[in-house]
Amino acid sequence: MSATGIVSPRLRMPGPVRARRRTGRGLSWALVALVALLTLLAIFARLLAPYDPVQPIGALSLPPGSPDHLLGTDSIGRDLLSRTLYGIQVSWFAALVVVVSGLVIGGIIGTLAGVAGGFIDNLLMRFTDLFLALPGTLVAIAIVAALGYNLQNTLIGIGVVWWPYYARIIRGEVKALASRPHVEAARLAGAGPARIVFRHVLPGVIPTAIVTASLDIGNVVLLLAGLSFLGLGQPAPAPELGADTARNLGQLLTEPWIPLIPGLAVLLLSLVANLGGDGVRTLIGGRR
Amino acid sequence: MTRFLLRRLGSAVVLILILSAVIFLLQSVSTADPVKAYLGANASPAAVAAARQSLGLDDPLPVRYVDFLTNLVQGDLGVSYRTHRPVVTDLQAFLPATMELVLWSFVIAVLLGGLFAVSGALRWRGSSIFRGPLLVLATAPPFLLALGGIVLFYAQLHILPANGRGPGETGPTGFLLIDTLVAGDPAGFASAAQHLLLPAVVLAIAPAIAIGRIMRSSLTNTLGADYVRTAESKGLTPFRVLGRHVVRNSLGPGLSMAGLQLGFMFAGVVVVEQIFSWPGIGNYLAASIPTSDFPAIAAVTLVLGTIYIVANALVDVLQAVADPRLSA
């Protein structure tokens, strides 16, 4: 496997392309605040939801803007605002779990490879390239199909294919930092490998890692929603954005808000995540 | 160059083998029991044991993997639990529709991405009216775009159909647009094109932005190059400067991204086909998921995954042809 050209399609998001147009710092803080607000919304979804998301509580198929049901109700009378809030909670935290696990697994492998160099580096990066060259989404679908359909297995499936990208980026950063004078100086001063890694190399990697991860959240939100749409998520009555759209496809032409609202919530999550990622990049900088 | 070609194709073969090993391993840990699916849930323990023996399920894993590969090479991907037909038969019926959708969608993605890149890099006045919404659309989940498109163009405006490929007959190529044209069926052709438009555009938007962004930055870099200034100052028309010097030299990154996105689209097609009831293998996969039809899911993963790997290998080779430095 030649390393050339085997690049993750996800390189499209955090690519150097958008670095051209720098957002102002004030605006960047506002964008990051938006992400924080969304996270708060997700944390307190259960408190904010006016009704039980699973129990039918109102008239059937009320349109949005109805007095007691801000976003209306679905065809069996469940409150759409409540379902959407619960769905946002699930989607947002699931995406964070995937990104953090990718960051941790990829971080460990990338750091090991970058620090060890030589044979171990070669071995680990070959392994990483192999994962990058396989079609991640499809492999994730196959994993979930084999293990059984539930949210936990979906997270495992995506987690398995999501780390290699981080491993590559972090290995590159570690390699670049390891040859810098301050690391050389620490080595000459007699610092052990563990001390060098944790005190002198990793702190320098963190900004890039955070920027990369924050720009990636939107991708994961979309992927999770897509798998949920296909039925690879929570089973039936549980509120989940992708699945709620899929289950109500039949109402698209008669009561379009029922399938569209969960989809719009996914758009909101992915939009806020992407804008927030841009903000984080402007504020932290990183190497990109 | 030959060595590079061989090495790259060799690595693609290795990758396909590894993909098949992954699928095989998943099949062996799968919760769906092939024997139960084969005999029905009420089979006696003795019958189950006998079936396990005859299906070779008691053999050691490496032996079973070799069996699996042998079957694969002979075109045997197992029998679908849902349709009770050999999976290969199903795939042959559905693959052409997927290929047609993805290829046209890819063409649209490249055109749209190119327009995005050129209008951005040259700062065409007013073009941000088109780029801004496109950027927002690219962050939307594809299923939302598909549904929005159906509501707008089918339900409200009545100008585009919302499901299937149209009434035209497929012929030898399986590509409806080509077959209706060859058969001299203009009505069928028009209908096929109409049916194709919405799903193809929906599938094209995210890749178009990915391609457009890369191309725009590479165009912007090239526009600032000294030889472009030279070309301008020696009096070439802007059109000539663009065509001869700028676009040619900034195509590389866009090409490689386009290839990657083509592979990517073969995964994204699943959701789009399901919504538009497009009779392709993505729809087949989507229908296989709720019934836990693992042989079908595994086979589609393998076929689409192989296409993905081959597409990426071809892109690498094409790039090396375009820029021989890459094959060194």
Side-chain angles (χ1 to χ4, degrees):
Chain A
M1 266 121 293
S2 69
T4 51
I6 300 180
V7 188
S8 163
R10 281 185 290 140
L11 280 181
R12 69 196 170 117
M13 285 318 279
V17 189
R18 292 194 297 181
R20 203 178 51 85
R21 172 176 38 89
R22 289 268 163 184
T23 342
R25 287 189 79 81
L27 181 60
S28 299
W29 276 115
L31 294 178
V32 174
L34 211 58
V35 174
L37 199 69
L38 183 66
T39 309
L40 284 177
L41 188 77
I43 292 175
F44 295 110
R46 273 147 215 269
L47 294 175
L48 294 168
Y51 301 98
D52 185 318
V54 182
Q55 296 300 325
I57 37 71
L60 310 185
S61 304
L62 285 174
S66 307
D68 289 334
H69 303 281
L70 206 57
L71 293 183
T73 58
D74 69 8
S75 53
I76 57 170
R78 296 178 297 196
D79 182 56
L80 280 175
L81 177 61
S82 306
R83 284 191 76 78
T84 304
L85 282 171
Y86 273 68
I88 285 178
Q89 182 177 53
V90 174
S91 294
W92 190 244
F93 288 120
L96 291 183
V97 165
V98 170
V99 168
V100 169
S101 77
L103 201 54
V104 169
I105 303 172
I108 291 173
I109 291 180
T111 310
L112 261 179
V115 170
F119 174 70
I120 297 180
D121 182 18
N122 227 322
L123 190 77
L124 287 176
M125 282 304 109
R126 281 291 157 95
F127 188 60
T128 305
D129 282 343
L130 198 148
F131 267 86
L132 280 176
L134 292 177
T137 315
L138 292 165
V139 171
I141 290 177
I143 291 175
V144 188
L147 298 181
Y149 305 151
N150 58 51
L151 186 62
Q152 190 195 332
N153 288 343
T154 304
L155 294 183
I156 292 175
I158 301 181
V160 167
V161 299
W162 214 249
W163 60 267
Y165 172 63
Y166 289 98
R168 269 238 155 263
I169 289 193
I170 288 171
R171 178 213 173 244
E173 283 290 296
V174 168
K175 270 245 176 272
L177 279 169
S179 60
R180 296 272 285 273
H182 75 277
V183 176
E184 203 86 328
R187 197 173 290 131
L188 286 176
R195 188 180 166 85
I196 289 179
V197 169
F198 286 104
R199 289 294 299 273
H200 301 287
V201 174
L202 281 186
V205 174
I206 286 173
T208 308
I210 291 181
V211 170
T212 309
S214 59
L215 282 165
D216 199 27
I217 296 174
N219 294 331
V220 180
V221 165
L222 288 185
L223 178 59
L224 276 167
L227 294 188
S228 161
F229 182 88
L230 290 172
L232 299 167
Q234 310 255 63
E240 217 179 60
L241 300 176
D244 271 2
T245 297
R247 289 178 202 133
N248 296 304
L249 276 185
Q251 270 92 288
L252 181 66
L253 298 181
T254 46
E255 291 128 2
W257 67 91
I258 300 177
L260 287 182
I261 283 175
L264 288 169
V266 177
L267 170 61
L268 175 80
L269 289 182
S270 124
L271 204 55
V272 168
N274 279 322
L275 292 173
D278 276 342
V280 168
R281 181 177 47 201
T282 310
L283 293 174
I284 297 183
R287 267 164 41 95
R288 288 180 170 276
Chain B
M1 185 63 211
T2 320
R3 266 190 60 205
F4 173 80
L5 193 76
L6 288 177
R7 213 174 58 210
R8 191 62 192 81
L9 293 183
S11 83
V13 171
V14 171
L15 277 172
I16 293 169
L17 278 177
I18 289 170
L19 180 66
S20 72
V22 169
I23 299 293
F24 167 75
L25 280 177
L26 287 173
Q27 200 157 22
S28 56
V29 302
S30 165
T31 47
D33 186 347
V35 176
K36 288 268 166 61
Y38 190 68
L39 294 174
N42 299 323
S44 72
V48 168
R52 285 191 72 83
Q53 182 91 51
S54 73
L55 287 173
L57 290 173
D58 291 333
D59 293 340
L61 269 188
V63 175
R64 285 170 53 198
Y65 179 55
V66 172
D67 284 349
F68 176 82
L69 276 185
T70 316
N71 289 339
L72 208 63
V73 171
Q74 292 169 351
D76 178 4
L77 289 167
V79 174
S80 158
Y81 298 162
R82 181 172 60 93
T83 64
H84 300 290
R85 279 193 305 258
V87 173
V88 171
T89 316
D90 285 345
L91 290 186
Q92 278 168 349
F94 295 129
L95 189 59
T98 299
M99 298 299 278
E100 181 170 41
L101 174 59
V102 171
L103 289 181
W104 284 112
S105 182
F106 181 68
V107 171
I108 295 174
V110 169
L111 293 178
L112 213 57
L115 190 61
F116 181 88
V118 172
S119 68
L122 298 182
R123 308 191 178 177
W124 286 355
R125 214 182 310 155
S127 66
S128 55
I129 291 173
F130 133 87
R131 284 200 312 277
L134 210 55
L135 279 170
V136 175
L137 288 183
T139 62
F143 62 79
L144 183 68
L145 295 181
L147 299 185
I150 290 176
V151 168
L152 187 63
F153 295 106
Y154 170 73
Q156 301 289 328
L157 301 174
H158 306 290
I159 50 177
L160 288 177
N163 67 62
R165 296 175 84 184
E169 293 286 321
T170 51
T173 66
F175 279 38
L176 207 47
L177 279 185
I178 297 176
D179 286 337
T180 48
L181 209 59
V182 171
D185 174 12
F189 178 82
S191 161
Q194 264 190 333
H195 281 82
L196 191 65
L197 191 59
L198 200 49
V201 169
V202 165
L203 189 59
I205 285 182
I209 293 299
I211 297 167
R213 277 190 173 141
I214 292 275
M215 287 240 319
R216 183 176 62 187
S217 88
S218 116
L219 277 176
T220 312
N221 286 339
T222 319
L223 281 170
D226 288 340
Y227 58 81
V228 173
R229 198 187 49 203
T230 308
E232 275 171 351
S233 50
K234 80 178 183 188
L236 292 188
T237 59
F239 190 73
R240 226 176 144 72
V241 174
L242 273 182
R244 289 291 290 271
H245 297 280
V246 178
V247 171
R248 269 192 177 185
N249 281 303
S250 33
L251 224 48
L255 264 185
S256 79
M257 179 51 83
L260 283 170
Q261 292 296 323
L262 177 64
F264 219 41
M265 287 162 86
F266 275 103
V269 79
V270 180
V271 166
V272 174
E273 283 190 2
Q274 190 193 13
I275 292 178
F276 289 98
S277 312
W278 191 262
I281 66 174
N283 198 7
Y284 180 66
L285 174 62
S288 302
I289 286 173
T291 50
S292 299
D293 187 352
F294 196 78
I297 296 173
V300 175
T301 310
L302 206 54
V303 170
L304 291 181
T306 302
I307 295 175
Y308 174 90
I309 291 168
V310 171
N312 278 334
L314 283 181
V315 168
D316 282 0
V317 171
L318 276 183
Q319 271 198 300
V321 171
D323 185 351
R325 283 171 299 182
L326 291 175
S327 64

